[in-house]
Amino acid sequence: MIILEDVSKSYSTGAPALNGISLHIEPGEFVFIVGDSGSGKSTLIKLLLRELTPTSGKIFVNKYDLSKLKRRKIPKFRRNIGVVFQDFRLLKDRNVYENVAFAQRVIEVPPREMRKNVPSMLSMVGLAEKYKARPRELSGGEQQRVALARALVNKPPILLADEPTGNLDPKNSWEIMKLLEEINKSGTTVLVVTHNREIVNAMRKRVITMKKGIIVSDEKKGGYIDED
Amino acid sequence: MIILEDVSKSYSTGAPALNGISLHIEPGEFVFIVGDSGSGKSTLIKLLLRELTPTSGKIFVNKYDLSKLKRRKIPKFRRNIGVVFQDFRLLKDRNVYENVAFAQRVIEVPPREMRKNVPSMLSMVGLAEKYKARPRELSGGEQQRVALARALVNKPPILLADEPTGNLDPKNSWEIMKLLEEINKSGTTVLVVTHNREIVNAMRKRVITMKKGIIVSDEKKGGYIDED
Amino acid sequence: MRISTFGYTLKQGLKNIFRNKIFSLATIATIGACVFLFGLFYSVVMNFQNIVKEAQSGIAVTVFFDEDISDERIREIGDLISLRAEVSNIEFVSADEAWETFKREELGEYVETFGDDNPLDTCANFEIYLNDVSMQDALVTYLESIDGIRDINKSVIVANILSSMNSLISYVSIGIIFILLAVSIFLISNTVAIGITVRKEEISIMKLIGATDFVVRSPFVIEGILLGLVGAGIPLVAIYFIYNNVIEYVVGRFTILDSLLTFLSAKTVFSTLVPISIIMGVGIGFLGSFVTVRKHLKV
Amino acid sequence: MRISTFGYTLKQGLKNIFRNKIFSLATIATIGACVFLFGLFYSVVMNFQNIVKEAQSGIAVTVFFDEDISDERIREIGDLISLRAEVSNIEFVSADEAWETFKREELGEYVETFGDDNPLDTCANFEIYLNDVSMQDALVTYLESIDGIRDINKSVIVANILSSMNSLISYVSIGIIFILLAVSIFLISNTVAIGITVRKEEISIMKLIGATDFVVRSPFVIEGILLGLVGAGIPLVAIYFIYNNVIEYVVGRFTILDSLLTFLSAKTVFSTLVPISIIMGVGIGFLGSFVTVRKHLKV
Ligand SMILES: Nc1ncnc2c1ncn2[C@@H]1O[C@H](COP(=O)(O)OP(=O)(O)OP(=O)(O)O)[C@@H](O)[C@H]1O
Ligand SMILES: Nc1ncnc2c1ncn2[C@@H]1O[C@H](COP(=O)(O)OP(=O)(O)OP(=O)(O)O)[C@@H](O)[C@H]1O
Ligand SMILES: [Mg+2]
Ligand SMILES: [Mg+2]
């Protein structure tokens, strides 16, 4: 499903954010990506979405060779991926309902279905009552859940979630993780970047640990690796 | 230092975010505020900074009666408070150094001292090398640490931190908490909103738990209260 | 594209206008101001040209005959002249008529110093009015070749002044209107550009979710067209009222100028002004949003 | 305010310009376009008024004397007239001079039908040139009260036309310049407003950190003034070159108009245009940023 071959990414300034990463993720896997702040986790997610292009190396996602993907084909490619961005990236001047519905509109879901899917997704993340609010009228955790609802509403074959519980209380975080696990069980490949040691240790999934742009460990049924 | 008397806050839409909160925090205290997503924690912080005004009730911060504070006096009042915002609120088109230095310029620190304070603060949060980067060239956790550096650089008598470790790995989070504890020991009153159960349970400080706009528990040397 | 998507796009275009009120107002205001200035000068210039053209049509070439000419020959000459393409009108003036006109127009105060005789008894003539003053020379060359004509009075100076004025005004008008158009396009695209830069983030989010360029761009383009339409419509209505009132005022206040100046009717001016302005507003609204959005689509 | 803070403020004002390049360019462009249009029309209007004023100064009141008047009395009358405030110049025209002029200017083609006599032998006169055509009536009333004057020729029509033209042009000019100024102020504050709305967030962050209104606002105001200065300077330089070239071209191309039209020197026009434009640019830059920032300061 996701293959990285010796991928590096350098921004115009500073040390390379990714430094020769190779990685295979099979369809239907549930993978945690953990690592220090600034170790390149978000960069990796952005590469998989083709928001960024790698400086070198090859990336395959969902059978697309990203280095050969034509600009025209990018939207089609992205429609198979649900993403939760670390900074949410909600549409500021649309309300919660419209933010989630937008993902459905993009894949041209018939309006009748959309009017069922969106509210049911919103109530799954506990925001059924807030559907009329604008993003700036929401608390941090509420915004994060809108972002999650938008990523999940299309039931995409791949889900990339960058720190989806950073602003959520432990109870909410657990509920969200259970939701992701469920979605994974129905066939979606799930990649979750997180700092939540408790959750990573409890769920016993594949854990990829990054440090300064390289993968320092990759364990099936792993846990959060502490240096100290 | 901080006194709230029967404070309520309703936004134009939805249920009240705070509903009759009373609270005393003594000078030099270290207080955790925990609670569900949307329980009113950020609203409380915004009231203390006078970013918002309460719908009813009285607030005293650092001997200022906020209901009587003249608009002209607000800047002077705010200079005694360091704040980490949940959404960071960095100045987008200034680099890391300038973002931190801005807090020093506001209180008119002589340039010579500023040129010492800012780099030393930046290295304390582990960003000494990134001083030239713009906020959008930083990872989530790095941005959060810039926000923290800006709040701390003036050594304010009061520190309000809204989720200061939400985007940080456990190791970094611990270091930041130790830093806050140190600052608290040197006399600063510290209020930290957090979802990090591990840290709250380990540090054994005063813990205020909120739920749907009211304080449901307030314990000296408390821990994270789980419902389930 | 599904019908529902199309309806959604249209609705979003409309909603965008209300979502970004400051930007929408700014765009309408800018387009409005530009169309307003353009329309104002267009009206002034059209009237100017019309006045000069009217003045030209009053200029005549006068033809005097040999002293021993027959009435027969005069009629022949008249027929020959009226066949020429550049001639709009020809009038025979008898010697008596010539003297009456001369007394009235030229002598004025001095008239009493002349007796009752007609000193101009050989001055029967044709007054030939032209379609275009600049064609005078061609006509005169032709007239000189006709037998029986003693002299041709061609009022060179006035004709030249008018024809120079005419081309000067044409040049200046074209210059001013061109500058105004350029400035307008510049200002409007400017406003649209700032407005869309603000929404750069929005555009990139949509693209990252998988929206095609077309879907992202359509609401912006619709918004641009609508803003252009409103922005062009308001000043047109304003100019219409201003135009009628100003002309009424000028005609009433400066009665002395009334005979000199013939103003165009609002209908005449607006029959070209309206389409130009609408095309300008809508075209710039469309192109402005189309081009500026493209810049941000490369996500 | 500390000196270091002042230096910092100044530097930030400058830096802001480069930080928000699109906005800075848009502002400069808008101010530039407005000052450009304003300057263009100001120049045109100034020249127009000058041309009409020159034309007026060629209009004279002509005074004829009683037939039996003595040279002595004529001289007395001349002295009386020259004392009047509205008179700019007075010229004595003898009967012979009058006839020569009449033959040359009025008779033209018809001159040969008159003999060698001077039919105007009682037509010695004074030509009185006025400071301002609109004062003609007052002068005529005075002249009628003087003994020894037979007749006064006051060229009512031309004088009235010119004085009407003069006030019509004044009204239209003031109207156009007023509209241009209003549109400019509107457009520029528009651009500044959008630009600062973009920075609303920045302003509120600064205020939440404890910055005073003054500290937050100063860099924006400095930025506004600098943009206004640059925005006004560029079109002034452009107009200067255009102005000189256009006049040179017109004078060269339309030689026939040269005698009719006297153009003002660039120096004359620019001595008022430059201060007005600079005040306009800087003033709007200052006010625009000052007022729009205030809106966002209430944090
Ligand atoms: N646009 C950019 N330009 C320059 N450097 C960048 C840019 N984006 C990220 N970086 C740098 O690349 C490195 C990796 O960033 P990345 O966002 O991938 O980290 P991360 O693992 O997601 O960290 P965090 O857990 O803090 O979000 C960081 O050192 C960061 O400063
Ligand atoms: N500007 C606003 N307008 C309307 N409602 C708002 C606004 N800001 C916050 N709210 C609502 O007020 C309630 C409390 O919000 P607040 O941000 O204080 O929560 P919080 O405790 O900080 O939550 P989190 O842990 O998710 O950040 C939420 O239900 C939120 O939707
Ligand atoms: Mg990250
Ligand atoms: Mg919050």
Side-chain angles (χ1 to χ4, degrees):
Chain A
M1 204 67 170
I2 296 175
I3 301 171
L4 280 83
E5 286 176 2
D6 199 22
V7 171
S8 296
K9 172 69 190 177
S10 301
Y11 293 104
S12 51
T13 56
L18 289 182
N19 207 338
I21 297 255
S22 293
L23 185 64
H24 282 243
I25 294 173
E26 300 301 321
E29 269 196 280
F30 192 117
V31 182
F32 282 119
I33 299 178
V34 301
D36 294 348
S37 172
S39 58
K41 306 179 295 297
S42 299
T43 303
L44 177 62
I45 298 279
K46 287 173 187 167
L47 286 174
L48 295 179
L49 190 63
R50 211 198 167 287
E51 184 183 344
L52 299 174
T53 47
T55 316
S56 69
K58 278 191 160 279
I59 304 176
F60 299 85
V61 178
N62 207 11
K63 286 173 199 132
Y64 287 85
D65 178 348
L66 295 198
S67 60
K68 288 187 184 144
L69 193 61
K70 295 216 182 66
R71 225 182 78 73
R72 232 166 3 91
K73 298 274 188 193
I74 295 176
K76 192 152 174 273
F77 158 72
R78 286 185 182 147
R79 286 177 202 174
N80 293 309
I81 305 177
V83 200
V84 182
F85 299 97
Q86 193 172 9
D87 51 357
F88 315 155
R89 304 211 193 162
L90 303 175
L91 297 169
K92 280 202 193 66
D93 42 19
R94 310 209 181 178
N95 63 27
V96 168
Y97 182 93
E98 271 306 323
N99 265 284
V100 178
F102 190 78
Q104 294 253 294
R105 296 191 197 278
V106 163
I107 57 168
E108 305 208 324
V109 172
R112 182 196 301 258
E113 278 185 46
M114 192 169 73
R115 279 195 289 273
K116 272 196 324 219
N117 293 344
V118 176
S120 92
M121 193 65 240
L122 282 176
S123 65
M124 254 188 256
V125 297
L127 284 177
E129 287 159 23
K130 295 267 172 192
Y131 72 100
K132 265 188 166 172
R134 297 280 155 112
R136 84 189 125 65
E137 296 166 349
L138 297 176
S139 80
E142 285 162 351
Q143 290 179 37
Q144 197 155 43
R145 284 179 280 159
V146 177
L148 200 84
R150 184 178 65 187
L152 296 179
V153 70
N154 288 350
K155 306 203 191 321
I158 300 178
L159 177 73
L160 309 175
D162 196 351
E163 204 89 68
T165 61
N167 286 277
L168 294 177
D169 54 286
K171 189 168 142 260
N172 247 309
S173 300
W174 263 114
E175 280 167 13
I176 295 297
M177 280 301 164
K178 292 285 164 214
L179 187 61
L180 294 185
E181 202 173 16
E182 234 170 75
I183 282 165
N184 172 243
K185 280 197 183 117
S186 72
T188 298
T189 310
V190 177
L191 237 86
V192 182
V193 173
T194 188
H195 290 309
N196 196 320
R197 175 154 45 185
E198 220 179 298
I199 286 177
V200 172
N201 286 338
M203 282 179 71
R204 313 251 28 111
K205 302 284 184 186
R206 179 174 172 189
V207 178
I208 294 171
T209 308
M210 295 184 63
K211 196 171 175 175
K212 291 186 180 164
I214 56 173
I215 295 178
V216 291
S217 112
D218 183 349
E219 297 178 43
K220 300 254 158 211
K221 300 191 188 282
Y224 206 105
I225 295 177
D226 281 306
E227 292 168 52
D228 34 30
Chain B
M1 204 69 169
I2 296 175
I3 301 171
L4 280 85
E5 288 177 2
D6 199 23
V7 171
S8 295
K9 173 67 190 177
S10 301
Y11 292 104
S12 51
T13 56
L18 289 182
N19 207 341
I21 297 256
S22 293
L23 183 64
H24 281 243
I25 294 172
E26 301 300 321
E29 269 196 278
F30 190 118
V31 182
F32 281 120
I33 299 178
V34 301
D36 294 347
S37 173
S39 59
K41 306 178 295 296
S42 298
T43 304
L44 177 62
I45 297 280
K46 287 174 186 167
L47 287 173
L48 295 179
L49 189 62
R50 210 196 168 290
E51 185 184 344
L52 299 173
T53 47
T55 315
S56 69
K58 277 190 160 283
I59 304 176
F60 298 85
V61 177
N62 207 10
K63 285 172 199 132
Y64 287 87
D65 178 348
L66 295 198
S67 62
K68 288 186 183 145
L69 192 62
K70 294 215 183 66
R71 225 182 78 74
R72 234 169 357 94
K73 298 274 186 194
I74 294 176
K76 192 152 172 274
F77 158 71
R78 285 186 182 146
R79 286 178 202 175
N80 293 309
I81 306 179
V83 201
V84 182
F85 298 97
Q86 192 171 10
D87 50 359
F88 315 154
R89 304 210 193 163
L90 302 176
L91 297 169
K92 279 201 193 68
D93 42 20
R94 309 210 182 177
N95 64 26
V96 168
Y97 182 93
E98 270 306 322
N99 264 284
V100 178
F102 190 79
Q104 294 253 292
R105 297 192 197 278
V106 163
I107 58 167
E108 304 208 326
V109 172
R112 183 196 302 257
E113 280 185 45
M114 192 168 72
R115 278 195 289 271
K116 272 195 324 215
N117 292 346
V118 176
S120 92
M121 193 66 239
L122 282 176
S123 64
M124 253 190 258
V125 297
L127 284 176
E129 286 159 24
K130 295 265 172 195
Y131 73 101
K132 264 186 165 173
R134 298 279 156 115
R136 87 188 123 67
E137 296 167 350
L138 296 176
S139 80
E142 286 162 351
Q143 290 180 37
Q144 195 155 44
R145 286 178 280 159
V146 176
L148 201 84
R150 183 179 64 187
L152 296 179
V153 70
N154 287 351
K155 307 202 190 318
I158 299 178
L159 177 74
L160 308 175
D162 196 350
E163 205 88 67
T165 60
N167 286 277
L168 293 178
D169 53 287
K171 189 170 142 259
N172 246 312
S173 301
W174 264 114
E175 280 166 14
I176 295 298
M177 280 301 164
K178 290 287 164 212
L179 186 61
L180 294 186
E181 202 173 16
E182 233 170 76
I183 281 165
N184 172 244
K185 277 193 185 124
S186 74
T188 298
T189 310
V190 177
L191 237 86
V192 182
V193 173
T194 187
H195 290 309
N196 196 320
R197 175 154 46 185
E198 219 179 298
I199 286 178
V200 172
N201 286 338
M203 282 180 68
R204 311 241 43 99
K205 303 285 186 185
R206 179 172 171 190
V207 177
I208 294 170
T209 307
M210 296 184 60
K211 196 172 175 176
K212 291 187 181 164
I214 55 173
I215 295 177
V216 290
S217 113
D218 184 348
E219 296 179 44
K220 299 255 164 221
K221 299 189 189 281
Y224 206 106
I225 296 177
D226 283 305
E227 292 169 51
D228 33 29
Chain C
M1 198 187 221
R2 275 172 168 279
I3 294 183
S4 65
T5 312
F6 180 74
Y8 173 75
T9 303
L10 215 71
K11 217 172 96 190
Q12 284 308 315
L14 257 169
K15 269 197 182 169
N16 270 349
I17 294 177
F18 296 97
R19 265 189 207 126
N20 307 279
K21 282 199 199 72
I22 293 185
F23 166 68
S24 302
L25 284 179
T27 310
I28 290 178
T30 308
I31 296 181
C34 291
V35 169
F36 183 72
L37 289 184
F38 174 77
L40 217 59
F41 285 103
Y42 184 80
S43 318
V44 170
V45 157
M46 283 290 106
N47 273 296
F48 236 120
Q49 285 193 314
N50 184 54
I51 286 165
V52 172
K53 216 172 126 215
E54 289 280 314
Q56 284 190 349
S57 70
I59 290 185
V61 172
T62 316
V63 170
F64 298 97
F65 312 106
D66 289 343
E67 297 196 8
D68 52 356
I69 200 166
S70 65
D71 285 2
E72 176 76 4
R73 179 66 190 148
I74 288 180
R75 224 171 304 120
E76 268 177 42
I77 293 175
D79 291 344
L80 277 174
I81 293 173
S82 23
L83 287 174
R84 298 283 296 179
E86 58 265 48
V87 172
S88 88
N89 190 22
I90 176 166
E91 260 174 43
F92 179 71
V93 181
S94 72
D96 286 348
E97 282 165 2
W99 177 232
E100 284 305 317
T101 311
F102 187 77
K103 279 200 291 192
R104 184 164 21 86
E105 289 183 1
E106 311 284 339
L107 292 179
E109 287 297 319
Y110 306 100
V111 74
E112 57 202 57
T113 60
F114 295 92
D116 277 345
D117 299 346
N118 179 353
L120 305 181
D121 55 4
T122 61
C123 289
N125 62 50
F126 276 133
E127 275 179 6
I128 308 166
Y129 295 90
L130 296 167
N131 288 321
D132 181 339
V133 176
S134 62
M135 292 186 280
Q136 183 173 267
D137 283 347
L139 181 66
V140 168
T141 316
Y142 171 72
L143 292 175
E144 280 167 350
S145 72
I146 297 181
D147 225 29
I149 290 182
R150 168 171 51 102
D151 202 356
I152 302 162
N153 189 344
K154 39 177 180 161
S155 67
V156 189
I157 295 180
V158 178
N160 276 357
I161 287 180
L162 278 179
S163 112
S164 287
M165 282 250 293
N166 194 19
S167 54
L168 179 60
I169 288 177
S170 298
Y171 283 123
V172 171
S173 311
I174 292 173
I176 287 180
I177 286 184
F178 181 80
I179 288 174
L180 265 177
L181 265 177
V183 169
S184 303
I185 291 174
F186 182 62
L187 283 181
I188 296 170
S189 11
N190 229 333
T191 312
V192 175
I194 311 185
I196 289 193
T197 306
V198 175
R199 282 134 92 185
K200 187 172 148 182
E201 211 186 309
E202 200 179 329
I203 294 173
S204 85
I205 293 172
M206 291 179 179
K207 290 274 341 227
L208 289 177
I209 292 172
T212 55
D213 289 2
F214 183 80
V215 166
V216 173
R217 180 187 266 159
S218 305
F220 287 101
V221 170
I222 289 171
E223 182 191 353
I225 292 175
L226 289 176
L227 291 178
L229 209 60
V230 176
I234 294 173
L236 284 178
V237 173
I239 291 174
Y240 188 84
F241 284 106
I242 292 176
Y243 188 87
N244 282 329
N245 282 320
V246 165
I247 285 190
E248 203 170 292
Y249 175 77
V250 168
V251 169
R253 175 84 166 66
F254 302 100
T255 26
I256 190 87
L257 293 179
D258 198 15
S259 57
L260 268 166
L261 312 179
T262 343
F263 294 107
L264 293 168
S265 73
K267 219 181 129 200
T268 318
V269 174
F270 274 69
S271 66
T272 47
L273 182 59
V274 169
I276 294 178
S277 304
I278 298 279
I279 290 173
M280 188 171 138
V282 172
I284 295 175
F286 170 78
L287 274 182
S289 46
F290 193 83
V291 173
T292 18
V293 171
R294 183 169 57 186
K295 242 184 30 194
H296 302 305
L297 282 173
K298 285 172 190 150
V299 178
Chain D
M1 199 188 222
R2 274 171 169 280
I3 294 182
S4 66
T5 312
F6 181 74
Y8 172 75
T9 303
L10 216 70
K11 217 172 95 189
Q12 284 307 315
L14 258 168
K15 271 197 181 169
N16 270 349
I17 294 177
F18 296 98
R19 266 190 207 127
N20 307 280
K21 282 198 200 71
I22 293 185
F23 166 68
S24 302
L25 283 179
T27 311
I28 290 178
T30 308
I31 296 181
C34 292
V35 170
F36 183 72
L37 289 183
F38 174 78
L40 218 59
F41 285 103
Y42 184 81
S43 320
V44 170
V45 157
M46 284 290 106
N47 274 296
F48 236 122
Q49 285 194 315
N50 184 53
I51 286 166
V52 172
K53 218 174 124 213
E54 289 281 314
Q56 284 190 353
S57 69
I59 290 184
V61 172
T62 315
V63 170
F64 299 96
F65 311 107
D66 289 344
E67 297 195 11
D68 52 354
I69 200 164
S70 66
D71 285 1
E72 177 75 6
R73 179 65 189 149
I74 289 180
R75 224 172 302 124
E76 268 178 42
I77 293 175
D79 290 346
L80 276 172
I81 295 172
S82 19
L83 286 174
R84 297 284 295 182
E86 58 266 47
V87 172
S88 88
N89 189 20
I90 175 164
E91 258 173 45
F92 179 70
V93 181
S94 70
D96 286 347
E97 283 165 1
W99 177 233
E100 284 305 316
T101 312
F102 187 77
K103 279 201 290 193
R104 185 164 20 89
E105 288 184 1
E106 310 283 339
L107 293 179
E109 286 298 318
Y110 307 100
V111 74
E112 55 201 61
T113 60
F114 292 94
D116 275 346
D117 296 348
N118 179 354
L120 306 180
D121 55 2
T122 60
C123 290
N125 61 52
F126 275 132
E127 277 179 4
I128 307 167
Y129 295 91
L130 296 166
N131 288 322
D132 181 340
V133 176
S134 62
M135 292 186 282
Q136 184 174 267
D137 282 348
L139 180 68
V140 168
T141 314
Y142 170 73
L143 291 175
E144 280 167 349
S145 71
I146 297 180
D147 225 28
I149 289 182
R150 169 170 53 101
D151 203 355
I152 301 163
N153 189 342
K154 36 177 185 162
S155 67
V156 189
I157 295 180
V158 179
N160 276 358
I161 288 180
L162 278 180
S163 112
S164 288
M165 281 249 294
N166 193 19
S167 55
L168 178 60
I169 289 178
S170 298
Y171 283 123
V172 171
S173 312
I174 292 173
I176 287 180
I177 286 184
F178 182 80
I179 289 174
L180 265 178
L181 264 178
V183 169
S184 303
I185 291 175
F186 181 62
L187 283 182
I188 296 171
S189 12
N190 230 331
T191 314
V192 175
I194 312 184
I196 289 192
T197 306
V198 176
R199 282 132 93 186
K200 187 173 151 180
E201 213 186 308
E202 198 180 331
I203 293 173
S204 85
I205 293 172
M206 290 179 181
K207 291 266 355 214
L208 289 176
I209 293 172
T212 55
D213 290 2
F214 183 79
V215 166
V216 173
R217 180 188 266 158
S218 304
F220 286 101
V221 170
I222 288 172
E223 183 190 352
I225 291 176
L226 288 176
L227 291 177
L229 210 58
V230 176
I234 294 173
L236 284 178
V237 173
I239 291 173
Y240 188 84
F241 284 106
I242 292 175
Y243 187 87
N244 282 329
N245 282 321
V246 165
I247 284 189
E248 202 170 292
Y249 175 77
V250 168
V251 170
R253 175 85 168 66
F254 303 101
T255 26
I256 191 87
L257 295 179
D258 198 15
S259 56
L260 268 165
L261 313 178
T262 343
F263 293 108
L264 292 168
S265 73
K267 219 182 128 200
T268 317
V269 175
F270 275 70
S271 65
T272 46
L273 180 59
V274 168
I276 294 178
S277 305
I278 298 279
I279 289 173
M280 190 171 138
V282 172
I284 295 175
F286 170 79
L287 274 181
S289 46
F290 193 84
V291 172
T292 17
V293 172
R294 183 168 59 187
K295 240 181 35 192
H296 302 304
L297 281 173
K298 286 176 188 148
V299 178

